[in-house]
């Protein structure tokens, strides 16, 4: 006989979990008591949102299922943003939450929340375990659901009495689902049709998303592109699925994509989407998206096919087996003329910035991070301008090296995700690129990096603004900076904040880092950046590098919202 | 257009909330909903009528199919199917109009199942449109209360493959 709490710890071990992120409370004390005697590593976070993002960062960096454990009520509700972030990007996670005793559910008991109700829309699946006999099977099911098909977060809500009750049930040898059968090899006829289309195309283009990374199909994709000589563009989620240093790479597409990628989409005659979902940030004005092209769509998720764009050749299946079957069917490609034009666009319109500026520009900092690491780092990001620059000025060559909240766009993701990634990849250099706004959202988690000797680097591109909001206000709202200023001067009247001395930093990230036990450094000039980064990278401790950068830099090129991909704006002028 | 969606789902707590949440979260109104066990104790059948654009509903169906607890979803409006609804209708019936109401019920093959002083309760089983028609016809007499089961439906003869 085992208690429910024992079933949970044993179940996690059986699933290969080594590290759990979380924070205790009244309704999970039985589990924590079991944990105390176990061989698992527990990471005590300072806010449960941090736990969810760490589990997510761990999952993205390693491909394994990330795991977190939180208490009922506020503990569970604090994970909601983290679950939603993982759900949007298809990241495998299992979150275990405590619940008030079964007899008290529905009574507005202390720290009760309808956790399964609240998380229903932000998980792939969730369970409320009412009987301890169901617990071993539920844990195994949860992990299977989280990692199979299109991966996603799964939550298991366990009332306190269920944790304490005993059972002789064990994990079943085989799981059976009546409605859930996600394994798809891809229909051979459809794959043959796609091969034929590829062999006939004069101007083919591969449009690659996070599904290639989740599906471990980067090698197959690269082989296909090189054999058939097809240029490749990726989404933000797809960065690293194809080496951006390859001459066939057109870098990222979409709202802040490269000119070459967006032109190629508009001019190709065959668009092959692999593991991407025609997101509105990618397509721009949908009626003008890739109008010249026949469209093929390889995706594990049948619901993403024909969702926003009607495709001619749908292939429902895992990217890896589909690409494996496709590869021998495609001819060695030439596409000389087509490649010559896309290469010319790449040459003419690289991601660029004013390299002659006397100011410290944010893009320069990222370029230096790229050069000093020689591209060998795991980059996590927060959300905003810096996130786009991190996509532009660092070239990703391997899957699972760019971790960013693509679908939900969650500020506060990058720092805890970096910690999670470093737990999974102890030897990697993990760099969180953040803005001054986002980085404050989960800064408290820095303590975790200090406690566990995780030498993560937090590079803050401090522009004194909620920069991306400021950019939109500059471009589309007459330059009226409503609540997007973070520095201590020039705040709008409605905020009722008097000007303080310029040059005062609020917060002072250097002191803040030091107060958390990390190393804090600041640069304000371009000439200081290289040596500061070198020092940060060679320091075997967590470092926060506050880079005080130009306030006015904008992310270009940009497809204005609602415009088509060819209507790119290159500057304000 | 109106869609009759039939979903075979695992008989688990939370399934109903998940399905209804998915549909209503996209701004669709569920016009009628019926859930009951099937011949297989582990499964329930949900029948819903949902008005909405074909393309958008197709997307909703795909999303429903993706749910772990959902075994199968079909849009019955795309195929041959039978639908029935049960309604209990209480209608004001003073002595002078009683005969006429009973006559109407007979025409619809409906049954008077309860007689009160001043009112009659009629049980009607039939296609949804027929139920609508009867209620329309009874309106002039003053309908006091209506309770409808919501449409239940099955595809015709698809379980036996020749
Ligand atoms: C939790 C959350 N709240 C609000 C937003 C809306 N938002 C998108 S970008 C942005 C500004 C981010 O500012 P900062 O982190 O300083 O980065 P920058 O754009 O300046 O590089 C905001 C507020 C968001 N993405 N996430």
């Amino acid at each position: 006989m085992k208690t429910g709490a024992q079933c949970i710890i044993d179940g996690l071990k059986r699933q290969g979990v080594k590290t759990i992120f979380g924070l205790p409370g009244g309704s999970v004390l039985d589990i924590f008591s079991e944990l105390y005697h176990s061989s698992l590593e527990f990471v005590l976070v300072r806010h449960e949102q941090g736990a969810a993002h760490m589990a997510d960062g761990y999952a993205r960096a390693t491909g394994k299922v990330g795991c977190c454990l939180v208490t009922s009520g506020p503990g569970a509700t604090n994970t909601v943003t983290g679950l939603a972030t993982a759900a949007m990007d298809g990241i495998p996670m299992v979150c275990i939450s405590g619940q008030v005793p079964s007899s008290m559910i529905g009574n507005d008991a202390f720290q009760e929340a309808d956790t399964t109700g609240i998380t229903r829309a932000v998980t792939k699946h969730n369970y409320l375990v009412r009987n301890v006999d169901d617990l071993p099977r539920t844990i195994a099911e949860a992990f299977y659901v989280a990692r199979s098909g299109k991966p996603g977060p799964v939550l298991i809500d366990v009332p306190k009495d269920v944790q304490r009750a005993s059972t002789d049930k064990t994990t079943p040898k085989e799981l059976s689902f009546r409605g859930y059968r996600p394994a798809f090899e891809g229909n051979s006829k459809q794959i043959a049709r796609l091969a034929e289309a590829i062999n006939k195309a004069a101007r083919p283009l591969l449009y690659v998303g996070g599904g290639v990374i989740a599906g471990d199909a980067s090698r197959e994709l690269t082989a296909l592109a090189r054999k058939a000589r097809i240029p490749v563009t990726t989404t933000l989620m797809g960065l690293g699925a194809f080496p951006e240093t390859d001459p066939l790479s057109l870098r990222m597409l979409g709202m802040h994509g490269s000119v070459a990628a967006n032109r190629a989409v508009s001019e190709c005659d065959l668009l092959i989407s692999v593991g991407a979902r025609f997101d509105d940030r990618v397509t721009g004005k949908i009626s003008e998206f890739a109008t010249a092209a026949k469209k093929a769509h390889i995706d594990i998720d049948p619901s993403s096919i024909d969702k926003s764009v009607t495709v001619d050749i749908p292939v429902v299946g895992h990217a890896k087996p589909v690409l494996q079957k496709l590869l021998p069917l495609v001819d060695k490609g030439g596409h000389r003329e087509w490649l010559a034009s896309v290469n010319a666009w790449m040459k003419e319109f690289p991601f660029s910035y004013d390299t002659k500026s006397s100011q410290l520009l944010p893009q320069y900092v990222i370029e230096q991070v790229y050069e000093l690491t020689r591209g060998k780092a795991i980059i996590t990001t927060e959300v905003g301008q810096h996130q786009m620059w991190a996509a532009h000025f660092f070239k990703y060559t391997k899957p699972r090296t760019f971790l960013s909240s693509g679908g939900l766009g969650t500020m506060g993701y990058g720092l805890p995700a970096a910690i999670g990634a470093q737990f999974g990849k102890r030897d990697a250099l993990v760099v969180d690129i953040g803005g001054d706004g986002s980085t404050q959202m989960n800064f408290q988690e820095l303590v975790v990096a200090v406690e566990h000797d995780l030498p993560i680097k937090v590079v803050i591109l401090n522009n004194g603004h909620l920069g991306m909001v400021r950019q939109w206000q500059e471009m589309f709202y007459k330059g009226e900076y409503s609540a997007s200023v973070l520095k201590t001067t020039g705040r709008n009247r409605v905020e009722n904040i008097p000007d303080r001395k310029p040059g005062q930093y609020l917060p002072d990230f250097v002191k803040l880092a030091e107060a958390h036990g990390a190393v804090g450094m600041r640069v304000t000039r371009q000439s200081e950046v290289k040596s500061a980064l070198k020092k940060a990278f060679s320091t075997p401790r967590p470092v926060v590098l506050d880079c005080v950068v130009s306030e006015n830099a904008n992310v270009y090129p940009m497809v204005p919202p609602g415009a088509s991909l060819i209507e790119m704006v290159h500057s304000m002028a | 257009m109106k869609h009759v969606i039939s979903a075979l789902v695992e008989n688990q707590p939370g399934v109903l909330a998940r399905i209804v949440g998915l549909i209503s979260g996209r701004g669709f109104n569920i016009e009628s909903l019926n859930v009951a066990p099937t011949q297989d104790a582990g499964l329930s059948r949900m029948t819903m009528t949902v008005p909405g654009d074909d393309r958008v509903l197709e997307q909703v169906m795909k999303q429903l199919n993706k749910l772990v607890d959902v075994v199968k979803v079909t849009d019955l409006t795309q195929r041959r199917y039978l639908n029935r609804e049960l309604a209990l209708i209480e209608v004001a019936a003073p002595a002078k109009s009683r005969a006429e109401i009973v006559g109407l019920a007979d025409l619809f093959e409906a049954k008077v199942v309860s007689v009160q002083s001043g009112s009659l309760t009629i049980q009607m089983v039939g296609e949804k449109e027929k139920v609508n028609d009867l209620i329309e016809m009874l309106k002039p007499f003053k309908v006091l209360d209506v309770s409808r089961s919501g449409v239940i439906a099955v595809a015709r003869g698809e379980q036996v493959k020749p």
Side-chain angles (χ1 to χ4, degrees), chain A residues 8-9 12-13 17-22 31-32 35 38 40-45 51 55 66-70 94 96:
Chain A
I8 291 173
I9 298 299
L12 296 181
K13 279 198 215 150
V17 172
K18 302 230 153 47
T19 307
I20 307 172
F21 305 91
I31 305 174
F32 276 85
L35 193 61
S38 81
L40 293 169
E41 173 181 41
F42 186 78
V43 178
L44 176 60
V45 301
C67 188
C68 54
L69 170 60
V70 298
V94 169
I96 295 174

Side-chain angles (χ1 to χ4, degrees), chain B residues 75-111:
Chain B
D75 184 351
L76 291 174
T77 16
Q78 312 283 344
R79 42 187 90 193
R80 279 154 42 91
Y81 75 105
L82 291 171
N83 88 65
R84 287 292 179 274
E85 191 171 13
L86 165 68
L88 293 171
I89 307 154
E90 187 184 353
V91 59
K96 62 176 165 51
S97 47
R98 215 168 265 180
E100 202 178 336
I101 293 173
V102 172
L104 257 178
D106 276 348
L107 277 177
F108 279 84
E109 289 176 37
K111 249 198 218 154

Side-chain angles (χ1 to χ4, degrees), chain A residues 383-386 409 411 435-438 441 463 465-469:
Chain A
V383 171
Q385 294 181 308
H386 61 275
M411 292 170 69
D436 45 330
S438 307
M441 284 204 179
N463 54 15
H465 287 82
L466 296 168
M468 188 58 100
V469 175

Side-chain angles (χ1 to χ4, degrees), chain A residues 484-524:
Chain A
S484 58
V485 184
L486 292 170
K487 60 181 181 162
T488 52
T489 54
R491 301 286 281 258
N492 180 257
R493 183 188 48 79
V494 288
E495 290 182 77
N496 201 15
I497 291 172
D499 272 5
R500 283 166 222 267
K501 255 196 247 137
Q504 269 188 339
Y505 298 104
L506 263 186
D508 181 332
F509 281 111
V510 174
K511 284 191 187 147
L512 200 57
E514 287 166 355
H516 284 70
V519 177
M521 302 195 291
R522 175 174 295 126
V523 294
T524 55

